[in-house]
Amino acid sequence: MNVFVVGGGSWGTAFSALLRDRGHEVTLTCRDAEQARTITATGHNPRYLQTVNLRGIHAMPLDGAPLDEAELIVLAVPSRAFAAVASALPGSAPVLSLTKGLDPETGNRLSTRVQGRPVAVLSGPNMAEEIAAGLPSATVIASEDRALAEELQQAINSMVFRVYVNDDLVGVELCAAAKNVIALAAGGVDGLGLGDNAKASLITRGLVEMARLGEACGAQPETFSGLAGMGDLIVTCFSGYGRNRKAGELIARGLSPDEAVREIGQVVEGLTTAPVLRDLSHRLGVELPITEGVCHVLGGQELHQLLASLMGREPTEE
């Protein structure tokens, strides 16, 4: 398959290598022309996952890339750029989205911003650093087009990257967005040194929030106990590679959100998603106390005040 990967960050880089290893012809397109030239010249990404071998992968600037020749376009761009990139795609090749978030402009799921072509979403416990190292993982591909999902499953599945198909596009996308916000809070628990009990409690209640929102949007309940839900939430909240968890930890230790992003040096999707997710919950009339609390902290509230507000809520049934 002739595949164009749009986005030269960590996940775009790792996924390009994964596709190459499955025998596909891969072109990695980058916004920065110099980055693309360096990848072509050296076989390594100068900014992300620098030790990963990218030999055999074409690299070129996004501007001018012949995307109309693609049989599949993989979007691995930040959520804030997703709609603009998707709307400018030429041709009619299907899109596979790797982006985890919501559209900041409309509050809608990102796949809804892809028009005039089939779209699928890939999500699960897939830390790019581990995928790039060849460590085993599993993932989910969701689409309203079952044939597309199954075709992509066969094209991507391998002995180290097991792919499942799921027809709950709504649930998979909401899981991918919401888990980053919960991970910010989990990182706050780490930063305050509150212990494993507190962190496990927060993650569990975070999963309840995710499922509650999903139910209001018509998602399937079982999606939230699967790879896109529980699986991705666990790894995002515990992994040392998790940018959202790390950002929450840094903020708890006194850094501002902007300072945390600068120290991490990569996009932290939860910071973009949190207010969008909160506003969506308000429109739906769904209670998301952890998400609300994260937004308050990002707005300047002390983290210990968030903890007090969550622990001081009226006791109820689980």
Side-chain angles (χ1 to χ4, degrees):
M1 185 180 290
N2 183 15
V3 184
F4 279 70
V5 178
V6 180
S10 294
W11 196 198
T13 299
F15 202 75
S16 294
L18 184 151
L19 290 170
R20 177 205 56 198
D21 293 345
R22 286 288 288 117
H24 301 293
E25 182 180 349
V26 181
T27 300
L28 176 59
T29 66
C30 309
R31 184 177 56 183
D32 185 345
E34 183 58 34
Q35 181 185 13
R37 283 192 291 269
T38 302
I39 292 172
T40 298
T42 68
H44 295 276
N45 190 327
R47 297 182 181 176
Y48 306 100
L49 302 182
Q50 298 173 355
T51 62
V52 175
N53 178 12
L54 299 178
R55 296 292 184 187
I57 295 172
H58 307 291
M60 62 178 58
L62 178 58
D63 289 342
L67 294 172
D68 54 338
E69 298 176 4
E71 295 176 273
L72 174 70
I73 297 174
V74 177
L75 294 186
V77 299
S79 60
R80 63 176 180 266
F82 188 95
V85 172
S87 65
L89 293 176
S92 58
V95 163
L96 176 62
S97 171
L98 308 186
T99 305
K100 297 180 178 181
L102 296 172
D103 179 39
E105 182 180 345
T106 65
N108 294 332
R109 293 177 293 106
L110 293 174
S111 69
T112 66
R113 303 309 303 266
V114 179
Q115 300 294 324
R117 65 183 74 224
V119 59
V121 170
L122 183 145
S123 190
N126 305 144
M127 287 294 168
E129 294 81 359
E130 294 189 359
I131 301 299
L135 297 176
S137 184
T139 198
V140 167
I141 292 179
S143 178
E144 295 175 350
D145 185 334
R146 180 78 179 193
L148 173 62
E150 291 178 349
E151 179 184 4
L152 295 176
Q153 178 185 43
Q154 294 302 314
I156 299 170
N157 186 73
S158 71
M159 292 296 293
V160 294
F161 196 68
R162 183 168 175 80
V163 181
Y164 293 83
V165 167
N166 189 327
D167 61 3
D168 183 15
L169 184 60
V170 173
V172 169
E173 285 194 277
L174 289 176
C175 285
K179 60 91 182 182
N180 284 331
V181 180
I182 305 304
L184 286 170
V189 171
D190 290 339
L192 293 177
L194 299 179
D196 292 339
N197 289 337
K199 190 170 180 179
S201 299
L202 181 136
I203 292 170
T204 304
R205 295 310 302 173
L207 185 60
V208 171
E209 283 197 15
M210 291 164 57
R212 186 185 296 147
L213 180 67
E215 180 181 7
C217 293
Q220 299 172 14
E222 55 269 25
T223 298
F224 296 85
S225 60
L227 290 167
M230 183 187 297
D232 203 7
L233 179 64
I234 289 171
V235 76
T236 306
C237 290
F238 277 98
S239 175
Y241 296 119
R243 284 172 265 168
N244 294 280
R245 187 211 62 78
K246 183 63 175 178
E249 180 180 0
L250 292 173
I251 292 168
R253 292 179 176 176
L255 271 65
S256 71
D258 288 342
E259 291 170 336
V261 171
R262 284 196 294 271
E263 177 158 331
I264 293 168
Q266 298 188 61
V267 172
V268 179
E269 283 288 3
L271 298 176
T272 301
T273 301
V276 184
L277 193 70
R278 175 202 59 202
D279 293 347
L280 174 62
S281 72
H282 290 175
R283 292 197 301 272
L284 295 172
V286 177
E287 188 179 29
L288 303 182
I290 297 174
T291 300
E292 290 279 357
V294 167
C295 290
H296 288 316
V297 170
L298 296 180
Q301 183 186 62
E302 294 292 332
L303 195 53
H304 71 269
Q305 294 176 317
L306 166 60
L307 176 65
S309 67
L310 290 174
M311 294 299 289
R313 286 166 54 85
E314 185 69 23
T316 184
E317 295 181 5
E318 186 177 26

